[in-house]
Amino acid sequence: GIGITGRNHRWLHIEAFGNFDNQRMPEGYVRGFKFLLELLSRRRNQPVRINHGPGDRTPNAWQGALFHRDAHTDIKTCPGRTTTHDWFDSAMTG
């Protein structure tokens, strides 16, 4: 699918359904995201790393997690204003 302009050819897009601008996403979402990131990391034999920007553009570079709003800060809040990188990143790597 088309998720982030210029980053659709090698990114896996995982959607978080819900309005998380006013309330934090449920714990089940967090566990699901962590499970997927750990699974993908193991399959690639790479540690889970979090990336807040475009990163390395080489085809084999592991990008980690990127919020939709990291690429479109002027028009997107996804995955919601209550989902901060401090909170989410520590939940994914902790």
Side-chain angles (χ1 to χ4, degrees):
I2 297 174
I4 299 176
T5 303
R7 294 185 183 93
N8 295 310
H9 65 287
R10 64 185 184 96
W11 287 75
L12 173 65
H13 301 268
I14 304 169
E15 185 66 38
F17 290 97
N19 180 353
F20 305 119
D21 282 339
N22 298 316
Q23 63 182 14
R24 191 172 277 178
M25 67 176 61
E27 182 63 29
Y29 276 51
V30 176
R31 286 193 311 269
F33 283 124
K34 184 171 184 171
F35 172 80
L36 287 171
L37 287 175
E38 288 173 345
L39 177 70
L40 293 168
S41 294
R42 281 194 307 271
R43 290 188 72 171
R44 295 188 64 137
N45 198 27
Q46 295 284 326
V48 173
R49 290 192 297 249
I50 304 299
N51 176 22
H52 301 169
D56 190 346
R57 289 202 169 284
T58 58
N60 297 322
W62 174 242
Q63 293 290 321
L66 176 73
F67 291 170
H68 202 168
R69 70 170 179 248
D70 292 339
H72 299 288
T73 56
D74 56 335
I75 58 173
K76 301 286 184 186
T77 64
C78 182
R81 290 183 180 95
T82 61
T83 307
T84 64
H85 271 294
D86 288 342
W87 171 74
F88 188 82
D89 299 356
S90 65
M92 295 303 107
T93 58

